[in-house]
Amino acid sequence: MDRAASPHTVLLDFDGVLSLNASSLLLLALHEGINRHTELPIEATVTQFKAISTFPQRDSLRVLFAGLGIEQHLSAEIDALRSLTAVRGTPLTLGEGVEAFCAQQRARNVRLRVFSTMDRTTARRSLLDGLFRPEDYVALDHASKADPDTYAALLAAEGEVDPGQWLLVDDSPLALRAAKIAGLRTVLMRGAVFSDDDVSAFGSFIDAQVTSFAELGAFLTAEDDRPAPLPASRL
């Protein structure tokens, strides 16, 4: 199918993308929450956090807490995570250049959507007030960002027949894997949580890697300069 080189819709994760420091702070907060009830090394918390960060929050944390024998504390700790705006005095903040990036892409008629496991009751979502409208948020509910069917369902609901017109920006290679299987384009936002080793196994599912919104904006602008693919009849 002939299509424009640049995607018309960009899905932006919040934790680790729109807020570059949110993933690291949520990891630290989860570790502190677990250790209020049982001792778990930070290295073990990191491993669990990487595995569950794209899954529905309550379901994934229930498995973790039940496995550690502290499920009775699940609701309180989830409430603590949902109300989180700072950890050890460090506030969750928007990534540098987010506002400029959003303005740039909207001027290019690119639609921006927030694709995150947080919901309307999550305190950190207030960081996006004035930058995104309620209809800009994708309601994940109990869907998993690690499941390709989540993206297929979103495209179907939008009436989109060309998945390549959509692009996911996420810091989790597991989410990018699912999006790529569903036919979307993918960009990894590099952060402090996922290491080079974590990413290397998913290389075939990642179209590009960036470390900032300036780089992301430059990547999308460069896509405009790429020629559109020829129709199949001319190949």
Side-chain angles (χ1 to χ4, degrees):
M1 177 179 294
D2 196 3
R3 58 173 171 77
S6 184
H8 63 51
T9 301
V10 175
L11 300 174
L12 297 163
D13 182 36
F14 180 85
D15 301 322
V17 176
L18 286 167
S19 174
L20 289 173
N21 73 344
S23 285
S24 298
L25 293 178
L26 285 169
L27 167 60
L28 182 57
L30 175 62
H31 178 67
E32 292 180 345
I34 290 172
N35 278 265
R36 279 193 280 270
H37 313 292
T38 188
E39 184 176 355
L40 186 72
I42 183 62
E43 294 81 5
T45 307
V46 169
T47 299
Q48 295 297 324
F49 182 83
K50 290 176 182 179
I52 68 177
S53 60
T54 60
F55 301 154
Q57 184 183 71
R58 183 170 292 275
D59 292 342
S60 56
L61 289 177
R62 178 178 292 109
V63 172
L64 176 59
F65 276 55
L68 295 173
I70 56 173
E71 188 175 8
Q72 66 272 29
H73 302 293
L74 175 65
S75 292
E77 294 302 338
I78 285 180
D79 288 344
L81 290 171
R82 287 183 179 276
S83 64
L84 193 71
T85 57
V87 179
R88 296 183 182 178
T90 301
L92 279 70
T93 58
L94 290 182
E96 183 178 355
V98 167
E99 294 91 342
F101 170 82
C102 291
Q104 175 195 50
Q105 297 310 309
R106 287 171 177 146
R108 297 174 60 242
N109 294 317
V110 174
R111 182 173 56 169
L112 303 176
R113 305 284 291 277
V114 180
F115 195 61
S116 173
T117 54
M118 67 181 179
D119 60 26
R120 294 179 181 178
T121 67
T122 308
R124 61 189 183 276
R125 179 167 158 167
S126 64
L127 287 173
L128 300 177
D129 288 350
L131 193 57
F132 291 93
R133 302 164 300 176
E135 58 267 31
D136 294 329
Y137 292 84
V138 177
L140 276 168
D141 296 323
H142 297 292
S144 170
K145 289 176 69 179
D147 181 359
D149 286 346
T150 297
Y151 303 86
L154 171 59
L155 295 173
E158 296 280 345
E160 180 61 71
V161 297
D162 183 4
Q165 293 282 9
W166 290 58
L167 181 143
L168 173 67
V169 184
D170 208 297
D171 68 326
S172 169
L174 193 59
L176 297 173
R177 164 200 163 271
K180 192 65 178 177
I181 290 173
L184 282 71
R185 296 188 235 182
T186 58
V187 172
L188 175 74
M189 179 69 78
R190 296 305 305 263
V193 172
F194 294 94
S195 68
D196 289 342
D197 287 343
D198 296 326
V199 172
S200 63
F202 293 88
S204 62
F205 303 103
I206 299 171
D207 294 325
Q209 299 185 32
V210 299
T211 60
S212 68
F213 276 91
E215 288 184 16
L216 180 59
F219 168 77
L220 291 173
T221 299
E223 289 287 276
D224 281 342
D225 297 328
R226 292 176 55 191
L230 292 174
S233 61
R234 295 178 59 188
L235 294 179

